[in-house]
């Protein structure tokens, strides 16, 4: 009997030992996975968010709805060592760091150099939060925003007087109204676009991306939107105070910019159509340098529209208060340069002339060489950041299907078709297969964002920015008539993908995030940054980047930052001192993935108040 009891005890002890060893193995395995995931590195917010198990991706205390004059809740987490960033003085309400009027006056006026980007050195950068003007409210939703802008958001009436007879803008009580007129289309942009559509295939998706040089308040781009054409509009910050600001308040893509001495921050062969409506650009000057720069960014088969002086000068020279000889010479130069660029004139009616860039690059090159044209020697036509504009023609490297025009799909088919730059192997390291995988990945990511922020695609966010756009997958997954995305490709990105983004029928711009962006404060409703801080680690101060994000984000706007957990730990320490409510949450594939997501909402506050965001 004793032997049986001893044998039973042995078996019991053996079973217990096995259970303990197995338990320890499981414990250390889970501990190792936990450490590899990035937790245990001071990620207290992620731990707080994920400790609720199945509800780890729910962020209940962030309020994404707009309240116009209210707050967005309180941050649960506190830190006594937070560096609080103070508000700037009210005079900086519309501060644009790289287009500061006082700094601009120190630069030469020749070729509009003083209206170009001139950013402050590090020691002169502002380290404060740009305030909204007193009375600021969330803009109207599209499409009402196309026609109405709250006066308090951009309280500048000068254009209502200066452009009164041209129907640009009218002041009506607490709002500005935009009737849709322009200098060359006082009867409205719609009728003007109808005239263009009689020559240019605007309605069938062939023309998707457009460039408006000297855009005014961007009514041309605003009215092209309903025809499924997305327009990149630009104008300088000049005596026409706030014209680009008005455009963005209306919900129309626009940046501060000018044709001056440096190349436009867009890739070659980007736009299906370029447009100048009395934009006052001297197209014939400097051996046609500005027309040659437009030619660089115009896709083969693309259209250039010029309306206003000098077109139809014989009829209008008196109204324009210019001599016949001067206008005739200006048009002669334009016609001569257009011929040199192999642009075929398709139409000239009244004050509108339309040219089309030839598709057949080889036959064009032969004609240009016979004409003694000068070709640019730069090997990369997309290397444009702060590069001087040249009086030369950018050679076309278009081959195969694209040369015949067959590769240009109508929109929206081109959104997910294989872009020509990828099909031809022009983007190093990106194949057709990896491009398609990237598109699938971003559909998953955006679906995860929609679970976190259920009003993401409701129309609440009209102006959206992707600060590190890659192949444009985020914008493609969000594509909707309710919104548009400014796809930014950082100048230090490993791959130059902006040309791919344009071939998808999207728009974007090159930019270095160590500097201020070419826009007014409070012009974006939502900002997305994927891997941006990892990219700029050791390149520039995270605080400067976050302050710039805060400058261009509207009060009660949202931020989504996707990055490695150790990087986000550094980011969230700075965010604690900015007036954002935020939470850190897991990757949609679970807590073991070291990439995390920081979701934030900018609080509402304005200049001149006690800077509290509470709704007492």
């Amino acid at each position: 009997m004793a032997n049986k009891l001893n044998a039973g005890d042995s078996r019991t002890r053996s079973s217990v030992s096995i259970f303990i060893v197995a338990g320890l193995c499981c414990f250390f395995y889970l501990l190792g996975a936990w450490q590899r995931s990035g937790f245990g590195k001071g990620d207290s917010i992620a731990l707080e968010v994920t400790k609720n198990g199945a509800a780890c991706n729910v962020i209940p205390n962030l309020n994404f709805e707009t309240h116009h004059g209210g707050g967005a809740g309180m941050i649960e987490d506190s830190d006594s060592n937070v560096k609080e960033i103070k508000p700037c003085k009210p005079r900086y309400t519309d501060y644009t760091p790289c287009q500061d009027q006082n700094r601009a006056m120190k630069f030469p006026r020749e070729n509009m150099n003083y209206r170009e980007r001139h950013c402050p050195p590090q020691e002169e950068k502002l380290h404060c939060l740009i305030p909204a003007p007193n009375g600021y409210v969330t803009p109207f939703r599209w499409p009402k925003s196309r026609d109405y802008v709250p006066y308090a958001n951009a309280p500048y009436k000068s254009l209502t007087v200066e452009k009164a007879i041209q129907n640009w803008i009218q002041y009506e009580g607490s709002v500005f109204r935009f009737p849709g007129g322009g200098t060359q289309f006082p009867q409205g942009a719609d009728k003007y676009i109808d005239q263009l559509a009689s020559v240019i295939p605007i309605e069938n998706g062939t023309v998707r991306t457009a460039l408006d040089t000297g855009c005014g308040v961007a009514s041309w781009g605003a009215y092209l939107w309903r025809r499924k054409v997305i327009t990149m509009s630009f104008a300088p910050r000049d005596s026409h105070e706030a014209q680009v600001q008005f455009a963005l308040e209306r919900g129309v893509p626009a940046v501060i910019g000018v044709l001056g001495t440096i190349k436009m921050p867009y890739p070659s062969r980007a736009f299906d159509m370029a447009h100048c409506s009395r934009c006052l650009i001297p197209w014939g000057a400097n051996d046609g340098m500005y027309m040659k720069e437009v030619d660089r960014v115009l896709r083969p088969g693309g259209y250039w529209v010029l309306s206003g002086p000098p077109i139809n000068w014989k009829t209008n020279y008196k109204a324009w208060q210019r001599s016949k000889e001067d206008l005739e010479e200006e048009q002669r130069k334009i016609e001569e340069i257009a011929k040199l660029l192999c642009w075929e004139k398709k139409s000239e009616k009244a004050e509108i002339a339309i040219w089309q860039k030839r598709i057949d690059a080889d036959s064009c090159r032969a004609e240009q060489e016979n004409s003694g044209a000068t070709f640019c020697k730069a090997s990369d036509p997309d290397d444009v950041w702060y590069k001087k504009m040249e009086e030369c023609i950018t050679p076309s490297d278009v081959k195969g299907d694209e040369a015949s025009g067959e590769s240009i799909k109508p929109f929206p088919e081109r959104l997910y078709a294989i872009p020509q730059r990828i099909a031809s192997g022009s983007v190093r390291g990106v194949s057709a297969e990896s491009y398609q995988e990237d598109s699938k990945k971003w559909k998953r990511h955006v679906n995860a964002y929609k679970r976190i922020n259920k009003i993401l695609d409701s129309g609440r966010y009209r102006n959206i920015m992707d600060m590190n756009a890659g192949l444009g997958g985020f914008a493609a997954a969000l594509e909707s008539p309710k919104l548009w995305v400014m796809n930014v490709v950082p100048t230090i990105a490993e791959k130059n993908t902006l040309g791919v983004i344009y071939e998808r029928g999207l728009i974007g711009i090159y930019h270095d995030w160590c500097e201020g962006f070419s826009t007014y404060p409070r012009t974006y409703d939502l900002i997305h940054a994927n891997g941006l801080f990892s990219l700029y680690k050791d390149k520039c101060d995270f605080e400067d980047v976050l302050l710039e994000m805060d400058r261009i984000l509207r009060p009660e706007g949202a931020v989504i930052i996707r990055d490695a957990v150790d990087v986000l730990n550094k980011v969230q320490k700075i965010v604690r001192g900015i007036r954002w409510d935020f939470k850190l949450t897991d990757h949609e594939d679970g807590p073991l993935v070291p990439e995390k997501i920081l979701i934030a909402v900018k609080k509402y506050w304005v200049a001149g108040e006690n800077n509290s965001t509470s709704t007492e």
Side-chain angles (χ1 to χ4, degrees), residues 236-313:
R237 181 166 187 174
D238 58 12
S239 57
H240 292 165
E241 184 64 54
Q243 53 188 335
V244 167
Q245 189 175 17
F246 280 132
L248 287 155
E249 286 292 318
R250 298 175 72 187
V252 182
V255 293
I256 303 171
V258 65
L259 276 174
T261 67
I262 59 173
K263 294 181 179 181
M264 292 187 285
Y266 313 115
S268 60
R269 311 191 317 274
F271 296 99
D272 301 312
M273 176 169 57
H275 174 257
C276 160
S277 172
R278 203 164 186 175
C279 60
L280 303 181
I281 294 171
W283 294 111
N286 300 316
D287 197 26
M289 181 171 70
Y290 298 138
M291 288 180 68
K292 291 171 182 175
E293 176 63 358
V294 169
D295 181 73
R296 181 185 69 82
V297 301
L298 195 62
R299 199 187 310 281
Y303 297 86
W304 186 54
V305 180
L306 176 62
S307 63
I311 305 303
N312 199 20
W313 59 267

Side-chain angles (χ1 to χ4, degrees), residues 168 182-185 192 196 200 210-216 220-221 224 231-234 259 264 273-284 290-291 294 298 303-311 320 330 334 343 351-355:
W168 276 35
T183 306
Q184 283 302 125
F185 40 93
Y192 176 76
L196 304 184
I200 302 170
L211 178 69
D212 194 7
T213 54
C215 65
W220 188 68
L224 276 172
T231 306
M232 174 69 79
S233 301
F234 72 79
L259 276 174
M264 292 187 285
M273 176 169 57
H275 174 257
C276 160
S277 172
R278 203 164 186 175
C279 60
L280 303 181
I281 294 171
W283 294 111
Y290 298 138
M291 288 180 68
V294 169
L298 195 62
Y303 297 86
W304 186 54
V305 180
L306 176 62
S307 63
I311 305 303
W320 294 335
E330 183 180 345
I334 289 171
W343 293 0
E351 297 173 24
I352 303 173
I354 300 172
W355 286 264

Side-chain angles (χ1 to χ4, degrees), residues 416 418 422 430-445 471 473 504:
Y416 285 106
I418 304 298
I422 290 176
V430 182
S431 65
E433 292 74 20
S434 62
Y435 165 78
Q436 290 170 328
E437 282 303 313
D438 183 80
S439 294
K440 291 177 184 176
K441 178 186 74 174
W442 279 105
K443 286 179 180 178
R444 291 197 305 273
H445 287 342
L471 297 168
R504 299 185 77 165

Side-chain angles (χ1 to χ4, degrees), residues 348-385:
E348 181 175 333
K349 292 182 180 179
E351 297 173 24
I352 303 173
I354 300 172
W355 286 264
Q356 184 178 22
K357 182 176 178 177
R358 191 183 299 178
I359 292 175
D360 186 352
D362 290 335
S363 67
C364 180
R365 179 65 180 256
E367 289 182 21
Q368 289 169 335
E369 288 175 346
N370 292 335
S371 301
T374 302
F375 292 93
C376 302
K377 296 179 181 178
S379 58
D380 183 0
D382 297 348
D383 181 17
V384 296
W385 187 246

Side-chain angles (χ1 to χ4, degrees), residues 63-254:
N63 190 339
F64 296 103
E65 292 285 0
T66 177
H67 303 284
H68 289 259
M74 299 297 290
I75 299 174
E76 288 184 350
D77 309 281
S78 61
D79 190 334
S80 58
N81 297 319
V82 169
K83 173 189 172 184
E84 182 184 358
I85 300 174
K86 302 292 186 182
C88 302
K89 294 179 179 179
R91 70 172 182 268
Y92 291 109
T93 293
D94 290 326
Y95 180 63
T96 52
C98 296
Q99 287 90 7
D100 179 66
Q101 297 289 64
N102 294 328
R103 184 177 296 106
M105 294 302 129
K106 300 175 183 177
F107 291 87
R109 298 201 171 208
E110 184 181 4
N111 290 334
M112 297 293 285
N113 177 273
Y114 75 119
R115 295 296 186 197
E116 295 182 305
R117 289 175 56 84
H118 300 291
C119 301
Q122 185 64 33
E123 62 273 15
E124 293 181 20
K125 287 183 177 181
L126 294 181
H127 290 278
C128 52
L129 302 174
I130 302 296
N134 194 26
Y136 179 88
V137 295
T138 302
F140 299 110
R141 290 196 180 191
W142 185 269
K144 184 176 180 179
S145 66
R146 186 193 70 180
D147 302 329
Y148 295 96
V149 165
Y151 170 76
N153 292 11
Y156 304 106
K157 295 182 181 178
S158 60
L159 283 178
T160 65
V161 177
E162 185 178 345
K163 302 293 182 180
I165 64 171
Q166 296 168 7
N167 269 338
W168 276 35
I169 178 174
Q170 297 170 0
Y171 176 61
E172 298 180 354
S174 62
V175 298
F176 288 112
R177 187 170 74 86
F178 297 83
T183 306
Q184 283 302 125
F185 40 93
Q187 301 306 311
D190 255 341
K191 290 184 179 179
Y192 176 76
I193 292 169
D194 285 340
Q195 290 178 277
L196 304 184
S198 67
V199 179
I200 302 170
I202 288 174
E203 305 288 351
N204 65 4
T206 301
V207 171
R208 164 63 179 175
T209 56
L211 178 69
D212 194 7
T213 54
C215 65
V217 294
S219 286
W220 188 68
Y223 280 82
L224 276 172
W225 179 264
R226 72 177 186 178
R227 305 185 195 222
K228 298 182 175 58
V229 176
I230 185 166
T231 306
M232 174 69 79
S233 301
F234 72 79
R237 181 166 187 174
D238 58 12
S239 57
H240 292 165
E241 184 64 54
Q243 53 188 335
V244 167
Q245 189 175 17
F246 280 132
L248 287 155
E249 286 292 318
R250 298 175 72 187
V252 182

Side-chain angles (χ1 to χ4, degrees), residues 59 61-64 70-77 556-559 575-576 578-584 598-604 613:
I59 307 183
N61 69 321
L62 283 189
N63 190 339
F64 296 103
M74 299 297 290
I75 299 174
E76 288 184 350
D77 309 281
E556 300 180 315
V559 175
V575 168
R576 287 174 183 272
I578 299 175
R579 299 172 182 210
W580 294 1
D581 293 333
F582 73 96
K583 281 292 184 183
L584 213 59
L598 187 149
I599 308 290
V601 176
K602 181 177 176 177
K603 295 182 180 182
Y604 179 95
T613 61

